Amino acid sequence: MTVRLPSLVTTVGTLLTLLVFTTYAEAQPTPTLTTLYNFDNGSSTDGFSPNSALVFSGGLFYGTSAYGGPGACPYGCGTLFSLAPPTEPGGSWSETVLHFFSAREGAYPNGVTLGPNGVLYGTTSSGGSSNQGTVFALTPPSNGNPAYLKVLHTFTGGSDGATPNAGVVIGKSGLLYGTTSLGGTANQGTVFSLAPGASGGVATETVLYSFNFANVNDGYGPRAGVVIGHDGVLYGTTEFGGNGPCISGSDQTIGCGTVFALTPPKSPDGSWTETILHNFTSGGDGGDPNGLIIGEGDVLYGTTYGESLPPISGGTAFSLTPPSSTGGTWTETVLHTFGGGADGIAPIASLVFALDPSGHPMLYGSTSLGGLQCNGGTVYSLTPPHSPGGGWTEKVVYTFDGCIADEEAGPNGLMVGKGGVIWGTRGVGGTMLGGTAFSLIP
């Protein structure tokens, strides 16, 4: 499923959610940050360290916290929560923990994706019977029935994969697609699909690709998930691998990461085909890429965390444009290079699509560090060029103040709602030191 903007396309699980939701401060002319909820650090009755973007459904926001709760894991096994807006202007937001994770069903969840009938799908990076992570589905409470979580797949650490560090996306026929950072035939990560199983049936996992750096400098260790393009092609990134050396000395071959495409087989019994679209070099193009979003014409947009190989890179925002003819080379364009000053440093989350006040498409993103206020990170916008050959324009929308507890670190991920309001979470800080959920009116 896609949501079409004037010249950009977004795909379920990674992209823009246009909320049918009214805020009380949409008309304010200056950037205003509002803390919606403070998570309680170290609590057994609340989660803490929210670790992904929020999703919106039925008047509520949903998200996960990496830690907290009573589960028998170090710092707790994490939670899945909902946030309800106040019933009148000036009221307080309320949080409800829908599920406390346990080591048995998975621990340390990685965010959720909204599926049909309001079901929330996600992964855990650890836990399960083999302690290698799980894929789960949670049905929110309704009509007096409590929330119900079902484990769809438990990773074994073998050929099926291990340690998913990102959520899933939903494709045709309800298939889930995701990545694992480890496992597979070379223990260097996988891309998998999962058929949830109709009417409570058994879910079926299929490994679509196993990464192997020995195979002509393949990427490996995907940290982010995938997005779905034209004809069911999957696009994603690997944190390591490729042919761009990033670490000096004996480990030079580790690589700076890649962008890859996986093309479905032409016959039911065929294999998926991987193509490396870009090898990062840790030069001007950055290194250690995060997740992708996909625009009109299958143009890919993403960010890199950056690497420490000179010249020191604070990360980049980039686009990858498909070739004009079959077999051609994809073209990477660096939209912005982060310098560690006012514009921030080290983006760790994907970009999101939005519309500017004139209705033109634009991008928002966040940095985990930098800015001018005690390294607290930033929220920034990227505006496309207004004429052919022009450059993208970066603007800092908000600088978090790392000098105060309430704004100790930048966001994990963003989403954009009605009126251009930005919603997000931060994994640390807040009055209870366990992170926050916030809204930002640009």
Side-chain angles (χ1 to χ4, degrees), residues 75-135:
Y75 311 109
C77 299
T79 70
L80 196 159
F81 62 85
S82 65
L83 287 172
T87 56
E88 59 184 23
S92 297
W93 287 67
S94 58
E95 184 224 26
T96 300
V97 175
L98 301 179
H99 189 77
F100 291 105
F101 286 89
S102 67
R104 174 183 56 83
E105 63 198 9
Y108 314 133
N110 299 304
V112 289
T113 296
L114 181 66
N117 302 317
V119 176
L120 301 169
Y121 295 94
T123 66
T124 65
S125 59
S126 184
S129 57
S130 299
N131 200 32
Q132 303 294 329
T134 66
V135 182

Side-chain angles (χ1 to χ4, degrees), residues 12-327:
V12 171
T14 58
L15 314 168
L16 173 68
T17 303
L18 294 174
L19 306 181
V20 183
F21 185 83
T22 301
T23 64
Y24 302 118
E26 286 178 358
Q28 292 190 15
T30 57
T32 303
L33 184 97
T34 301
T35 298
L36 310 178
Y37 186 75
N38 288 282
F39 294 88
D40 190 354
N41 182 41
S43 173
S44 63
T45 59
D46 191 13
F48 64 96
S49 293
N51 58 349
S52 64
L54 299 167
V55 299
F56 182 82
S57 176
L60 300 175
F61 289 95
Y62 296 94
T64 60
S65 70
Y67 307 109
C73 305
Y75 311 109
C77 299
T79 70
L80 196 159
F81 62 85
S82 65
L83 287 172
T87 56
E88 59 184 23
S92 297
W93 287 67
S94 58
E95 184 224 26
T96 300
V97 175
L98 301 179
H99 189 77
F100 291 105
F101 286 89
S102 67
R104 174 183 56 83
E105 63 198 9
Y108 314 133
N110 299 304
V112 289
T113 296
L114 181 66
N117 302 317
V119 176
L120 301 169
Y121 295 94
T123 66
T124 65
S125 59
S126 184
S129 57
S130 299
N131 200 32
Q132 303 294 329
T134 66
V135 182
F136 65 84
L138 183 133
T139 303
S142 64
N143 301 322
N145 297 315
Y148 171 72
L149 184 134
K150 178 183 179 181
V151 175
L152 302 178
H153 181 74
T154 297
F155 294 98
T156 67
S159 61
D160 69 327
T163 317
N165 282 318
V168 295
V169 295
I170 304 175
K172 292 182 178 179
S173 303
L175 279 178
L176 309 179
Y177 296 95
T179 64
T180 65
S181 295
L182 297 172
T185 56
N187 197 30
Q188 294 179 356
T190 70
V191 178
F192 66 88
S193 68
L194 188 72
S199 302
V202 176
T204 303
E205 190 228 23
T206 302
V207 173
L208 308 181
Y209 187 77
S210 288
F211 294 96
N212 188 347
F213 184 63
N215 294 337
V216 195
N217 294 333
D218 192 10
Y220 66 95
R223 183 182 62 206
V226 295
V227 295
I228 306 172
H230 185 67
D231 291 335
V233 176
L234 303 179
Y235 299 97
T237 61
T238 64
E239 184 175 5
F240 307 113
N243 59 15
C246 282
I247 297 178
S248 60
S250 61
D251 291 331
Q252 244 182 348
T253 57
I254 195 169
C256 304
T258 69
V259 177
F260 65 87
L262 277 181
T263 304
K266 296 181 179 179
S267 60
D269 57 348
S271 299
W272 288 66
T273 303
E274 188 216 29
T275 303
I276 299 296
L277 307 182
H278 184 72
N279 290 283
F280 290 96
T281 67
S282 195
D285 63 339
D288 193 356
N290 302 302
L292 302 171
I293 57 176
I294 188 167
E296 191 74 43
D298 280 359
V299 176
L300 304 174
Y301 298 87
T303 60
T304 67
Y305 182 79
E307 296 287 350
S308 58
L309 190 73
I312 293 175
S313 170
T316 64
F318 67 88
S319 66
L320 270 176
T321 304
S324 56
S325 60
T326 303

